[in-house]
Amino acid sequence: SRGINAEYGGDVDLEDEPQSWRQDIANAGEFEYWRTRQQNFQAYGKFDGSPDSTLIKAGYYTDDDKLIEGIQVDCGAKTWSLLVTDNETKSDDVITTFQHGALEKECADGDEFDIFLKIHQPYLMNWAFNGQAMQTGTRQHQKWNGKVRITARKAPTKYSSDKATYFKVEGTGAAKYTRGSWGQCNTWPHSTNSDCREAKNWTLARSKLKTGLSRHGMHNQHFIPSCYMGSRYFHYLQHSVHPDKNSGELGRSYCCCTDMETGQTILNDDGSERCQLLTPQPVLGCNLNCEAAADHDIILAVNAEMNSKRTL
């Protein structure tokens, strides 16, 4: 599994490749514990056989199994739907389609797939399947400081994300899940382990960059893997790692020492990840010593390759 600084979340391989996976949320709804409402959930899977009759579902639920918001992907029909519990129906819980559309990429036997859910605010959540946003449109609203903010559209659901206690994905037919991750972090797939550039491009495609998913993205574009001199190797010092519950009022990012081959965070002797909050503004900086993570054979090889290209 690949991700940087998942200290207060998790990343698990699903060895039996089940057709469902559920992750309960620790300290659900406790804003004081998490510092912010923002949470990330990612599910990875693959199609084992023809996906023509395959349905993929993912949802965010309350303790008594009420749907807050979710998606359904119909591989055979090549469509997606964004689902909510209708907030106009007061007496009963009615699941309704908020938005729907066509898949940009067809499901195919042997292909990997991924789902992400990004929680921003009680009624502001972003979903994507295979790097395609599962919603359309934006809205403008005024922040506390008077500035206008543009975000994805507010979900017309009866239940807010503050009421959630678990995230769940399901599949039928050829869909099998291989891995899940959650917390205030972001991850990338196993298939990009050996090439930092692939991991970088994968995360950029799901980011809030305009060439990514823009307002429907999962994370800001600077929370991506840094590659050593643009090579396939990860830089041993990652300077912009996603904030978490310990990032303080300003939500400072981390810097972390990482393995140049795999991008995995280096661990300290006590098993904790070798990461450090960036020094406060106005000048953000990193005082972390990552010399032990620097693979000098890799560095020499990359430098030699770069020098040879300059002489051509």
Side-chain angles (χ1 to χ4, degrees):
S1 58
R2 294 295 167 259
I4 302 174
N5 190 27
E7 194 88 21
Y8 294 96
D11 191 349
V12 295
D13 291 324
L14 307 174
E15 296 180 358
D16 295 333
E17 297 184 357
Q19 290 199 296
S20 67
W21 170 64
R22 168 176 166 159
Q23 178 57 48
D24 293 334
I25 306 166
N27 303 91
E30 295 182 20
F31 183 77
E32 294 299 323
Y33 176 83
W34 287 108
R35 182 188 63 84
T36 172
R37 289 183 169 89
Q38 295 193 21
Q39 294 283 341
N40 298 340
F41 296 88
Q42 291 174 279
Y44 299 87
K46 66 179 182 180
F47 295 112
D48 185 10
S50 172
D52 290 347
S53 61
T54 295
L55 289 177
I56 293 173
K57 297 180 181 180
Y60 207 39
Y61 296 91
T62 67
D63 186 50
D64 53 352
D65 305 320
K66 307 296 187 183
L67 177 69
I68 297 170
E69 192 174 63
I71 61 169
Q72 177 172 291
V73 173
D74 187 327
C75 287
K78 304 176 181 62
T79 60
W80 61 267
S81 301
L82 180 62
L83 308 173
V84 297
T85 298
D86 183 27
N87 62 358
E88 297 294 329
T89 309
K90 303 303 181 183
S91 57
D92 299 308
D93 285 337
V94 177
I95 306 301
T96 186
T97 299
F98 171 39
Q99 293 184 327
H100 60 89
L103 291 179
E104 295 173 353
K105 179 184 177 183
E106 295 184 12
C107 309
D109 182 11
D111 278 2
E112 296 179 335
F113 65 86
D114 67 277
I115 299 166
F116 83 61
L117 166 62
K118 171 74 175 200
I119 309 297
H120 290 283
Q121 295 294 338
Y123 296 95
L124 180 57
M125 293 158 269
N126 288 357
W127 291 87
F129 174 75
N130 276 348
Q132 177 185 354
M134 297 286 100
Q135 66 239 86
T136 60
T138 59
R139 70 182 182 115
Q140 294 186 6
H141 60 100
Q142 195 171 49
K143 298 175 64 176
W144 60 271
N145 58 7
K147 294 183 179 180
V148 174
R149 185 184 182 192
I150 301 175
T151 66
R153 291 168 64 180
K154 181 179 178 180
T157 182
K158 183 184 290 188
Y159 304 104
S160 78
S161 66
D162 285 347
K163 304 299 183 183
T165 59
Y166 70 94
F167 170 79
K168 185 178 181 179
V169 291
E170 302 173 88
T172 65
K176 294 186 177 181
Y177 292 97
T178 58
R179 177 183 168 208
S181 66
W182 66 97
Q184 294 173 328
C185 59
N186 56 297
T187 57
W188 50 89
H190 287 311
S191 57
T192 64
N193 287 357
S194 60
D195 195 325
C196 176
R197 296 165 298 191
E198 291 184 13
K200 179 178 179 179
N201 290 337
W202 191 93
T203 51
L204 276 175
R206 289 153 179 79
S207 74
K208 295 178 182 177
L209 197 67
K210 288 185 178 180
T211 54
L213 297 182
S214 189
R215 304 297 179 181
H216 303 116
M218 184 175 182
H219 46 74
N220 291 327
Q221 56 265 29
H222 50 270
F223 296 129
I224 59 172
S226 175
C227 307
Y228 183 75
M229 294 185 69
S231 72
R232 72 174 184 86
Y233 298 102
F234 293 83
H235 202 290
Y236 55 86
L237 175 58
Q238 300 289 326
H239 282 93
S240 186
V241 179
H242 202 284
D244 65 14
K245 67 182 291 294
N246 291 327
S247 291
E249 184 179 349
L250 298 177
R252 282 185 283 156
S253 303
Y254 285 86
C255 55
C256 295
C257 300
T258 49
D259 186 288
M260 297 185 72
E261 286 274 8
T262 66
Q264 190 72 34
T265 313
I266 300 298
L267 300 181
N268 295 311
D269 292 339
D270 63 359
S272 62
E273 295 183 313
R274 192 169 299 175
C275 297
Q276 181 186 86
L277 284 171
L278 296 181
T279 55
Q281 292 179 334
V283 181
L284 292 175
C286 177
N287 298 323
L288 194 60
N289 185 349
C290 293
E291 183 62 28
D295 189 315
H296 294 283
D297 289 337
I298 290 176
I299 292 172
L300 289 173
V302 172
N303 290 347
E305 183 179 354
M306 295 298 174
N307 287 333
S308 67
K309 289 180 178 179
R310 294 191 187 100
T311 58
L312 293 178

